[in-house]
């Protein structure tokens, strides 16, 4: 067991065992209650059928693809900004050095 919820559960189980209840039966009840609650939560989310695992895997793939596309887009935008800054600097340098007069 781990986490604050399981610490409370462990304390309740220990308290019930101290009052004469069978610890094994209490653990089985707690486990069954947890399974039922998890099943209800999955049903409320629409994830109780056999396709749920496949659907979740596809959603994770889609999310990973979205993140990769977003990262690629930002890299491309940054690349264009850097290129435009370099072009502007070269144009400014050409004006400063009067390089257009060599073309005439």
């Amino acid at each position: 067991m781990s986490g604050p919820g399981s610490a409370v559960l462990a304390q309740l189980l220990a308290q019930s065992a101290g009052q004469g209840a069978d610890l094994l039966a209490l653990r089985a009840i707690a486990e069954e209650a947890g399974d039922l609650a998890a099943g209800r939560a999955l049903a409320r989310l629409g994830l109780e059928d056999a396709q749920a695992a496949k659907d979740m895997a596809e959603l994770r793939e889609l999310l990973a693809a979205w993140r990769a596309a977003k990262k690629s887009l930002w890299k491309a935008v940054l690349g264009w900004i850097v290129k435009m800054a370099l072009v502007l600097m070269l144009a400014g340098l050409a004006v400063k050095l009067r390089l257009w007069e060599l073309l005439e």
Side-chain angles (χ1 to χ4, degrees):
M1 290 188 208
S2 65
S6 59
V8 171
L9 180 59
Q11 183 181 3
L12 288 172
L13 289 172
Q15 182 180 358
S16 297
Q19 295 175 355
D22 181 23
L23 187 59
L24 187 60
L26 289 172
R27 285 183 183 263
I29 290 170
E31 185 175 339
E32 188 64 28
D35 286 345
L36 287 172
R40 286 181 186 162
L42 289 173
R44 287 183 186 147
L45 294 171
L47 297 173
E48 76 279 6
D49 62 347
Q51 282 293 107
K54 183 180 176 187
D55 292 342
M56 291 302 295
E58 288 176 359
L59 283 172
R60 286 187 173 144
E61 285 180 31
L62 184 61
L63 184 58
W66 168 254
R67 288 178 177 155
K70 194 168 61 169
K71 185 177 180 181
S72 177
L73 173 70
W74 281 114
K75 281 185 177 182
V77 167
L78 184 60
W80 276 102
I81 290 172
V82 169
K83 288 175 187 173
M84 292 304 295
L86 289 173
V87 166
L88 289 174
M89 285 191 326
L90 285 175
L93 187 60
V95 169
K96 182 83 171 172
L97 297 175
R98 297 178 181 237
L99 294 178
W100 73 88
E101 291 176 356
L102 295 174
L103 298 175
E104 293 177 353

